[in-house]
Amino acid sequence: MVIGAGTSTGTMSALAAWSFYLLGPSKYAASVAFASLSLFGKVGIYRVFRANVDPSHRWYAAIAALFVPSFVFWSSGLIKEAIVLAGFGWALYGLHLWLRERRPVIGAVLMVAGGAPLILVKPYILFPLVLAGGSWYYWSKSLTHGRVRVRPIHLAAAALLGIGGIVVLGQSFPEYSVDSFASRAYDLQRLGQRGGSSFELGSDAPTSTLGRLVYAPAALLAALFRPFIFEAHNLPSFVNALETALFTLLFARVLFAQGITHLRKQVAANPFLVFCLVFVLAFGMAVGLASS
């Protein structure tokens, strides 16, 4: 019997069996192997950031992609996140090769190869990825003509990549489609709260995705900056809270030191930062709305 057959849990059971077949029945060896796969994905993420930020900021990019404690901890072992990072990192690198390096063939190969683990383990990550990828494509194509403006051909191609990709994914994975997002997010929150969660976005069941999006600002705040220090109830959550507190201070420092106008101009001048902004907003709100 395979536990969770037909689901992402079944995928992990199969991958665990193959790792034991190749490495022997050692959970430690399997965990190191999966952590190594995760590291390859993080290196892919770092290479994308390194190529798209100022050279003087490469150490910051390396720390963000490779050494953030919770990021390392939750993706290093016989765990779904290790597979996700392996796939996501190289799918992102393939997108970079296509849009920035003008190498569409190898870029497409890496995107397909990187997308396969995401489909098997956490297909919902593909939704914000294709949306942000469409934004990156449109912004980069527009800037080649001097400045961003409505350009019908590029806009149509970006819509096909971004919105069209979401529609296709929704047909392939109806449980994650836009139509079912509200009810699924609500059910996931109820499930977590039975385990003692203190995080709740509204007490009534949503009637539509638009109705659920009323809570989007609070959801984004929770996804990016919680837990707060005063919410920590044990040592692991306190360590996590220290990390999110540092992120909050860094975010506030950038926001107030440079100002909204300057930040907007910086993002608008860099298509990769547009990708990052769209991905973080879309994925952050979805995670916040679905999490407990």
Side-chain angles (χ1 to χ4, degrees), residues 174-205:
E175 67 272 28
Y176 301 120
S177 67
V178 175
D179 294 335
S180 62
F181 172 75
S183 59
R184 183 167 178 81
Y186 181 81
D187 291 342
L188 288 171
Q189 279 213 329
R190 298 280 81 75
L191 179 65
Q193 285 162 7
R194 288 201 294 271
S197 171
S198 61
F199 173 44
E200 182 176 3
L201 292 175
S203 57
D204 299 325

Side-chain angles (χ1 to χ4, degrees), residues 24 28 46 55-56 73 84 98 105 107 116 146 168-169 191 265 276 290:
Y28 182 79
Y46 165 66
S56 63
F73 177 81
V84 167
W98 172 34
V105 175
V168 171
L169 288 169
L191 179 65
K265 291 180 179 178
C276 293

Side-chain angles (χ1 to χ4, degrees), residues 131-148:
L131 181 64
S135 304
W136 190 355
Y137 172 85
Y138 179 71
W139 220 263
S140 61
K141 291 296 183 181
S142 295
L143 285 181
T144 59
H145 297 283
R147 64 188 182 91
V148 176

Side-chain angles (χ1 to χ4, degrees), residues 30 47 52 69 72 80 92 117 125 139 148 163 167 179 187 197 208 229 233 235 238 240 243 251 254 284 291:
R47 293 186 67 171
N52 287 278
V72 173
K80 293 177 183 178
L92 179 61
I125 296 177
W139 220 263
V148 176
I163 300 175
V167 172
D179 294 335
D187 291 342
S197 171
S208 66
I229 291 290
H233 55 274
L235 183 59
F238 179 72
N240 192 186
E243 185 181 274
F251 181 79
V254 171
S291 296

